[in-house]
């Protein structure tokens, strides 16, 4: 199991990703000339399909891998910040002094 990276380290790794493309690169079909590719992704609730020339398939595959890495790093960053926020809140709640409990019972107001 890998040790968890610090939030600033995760942000540095995220900043190093310069090119990315959401979606999945798929082979549409094979022919004697080679494979035909498309890129499938979802935008605004709709599935979009883009044709990818065979010469660009390798670079598009790298860009989609970069997007997947970006998503994984962002999820790790979010989890660390959430855990840190919750820990600070719990620590802050423990530090608050309690109100002294009154020894006299509260009287009820009449409903007249």
């Amino acid at each position: 199991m890998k040790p968890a990276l610090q939030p600033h380290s995760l942000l540095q790794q995220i900043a190093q990703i310069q090119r990315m493309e959401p979606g999945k690169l798929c082979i549409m079909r094979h022919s004697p000339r080679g494979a035909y590719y498309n890129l499938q992704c979802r935008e605004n609730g709709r599935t979009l399909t883009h044709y990818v020339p065979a010469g660009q398939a390798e670079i598009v595959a790298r860009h989609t891998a970069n997007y997947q890495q970006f998503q994984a790093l962002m999820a790790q960053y979010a989890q660390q910040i959430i855990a840190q926020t919750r820990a600070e809140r719990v620590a802050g709640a423990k530090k608050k002094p309690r109100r002294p409990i009154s020894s006299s019972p509260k009287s009820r107001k009449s409903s007249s």
Side-chain angles (χ1 to χ4, degrees), residues 17-107:
I17 299 172
Q18 297 297 310
R19 304 280 185 272
M20 64 178 144
E21 183 79 44
K24 180 179 179 182
L25 184 65
C26 302
I27 297 176
M28 294 183 342
R29 64 186 168 99
H30 290 282
S31 77
R33 298 169 122 189
Y36 290 84
Y37 299 90
N38 69 12
L39 177 66
Q40 299 174 353
C41 64
R42 292 200 46 93
E43 289 183 16
N44 300 322
R46 299 180 66 189
T47 300
L48 299 178
T49 303
H50 303 282
Y51 172 74
V52 177
Q56 294 180 6
E58 187 178 324
I59 190 105
V60 171
R62 272 188 268 147
H63 291 168
T64 56
N66 286 348
Y67 183 77
Q68 291 172 355
Q69 180 186 16
F70 169 80
Q71 292 287 9
L73 290 169
M74 284 301 298
Q76 287 179 34
Y77 177 77
Q79 286 302 313
Q80 287 186 10
I81 297 302
I82 290 166
Q84 178 182 339
T85 302
R86 289 176 179 166
E88 288 172 357
R89 187 177 64 235
V90 168
K94 289 180 181 177
K95 291 181 182 177
K96 290 182 181 178
R98 293 186 175 201
R99 281 189 350 196
I101 298 174
S102 175
S103 59
S104 61
K106 291 185 179 181
S107 60

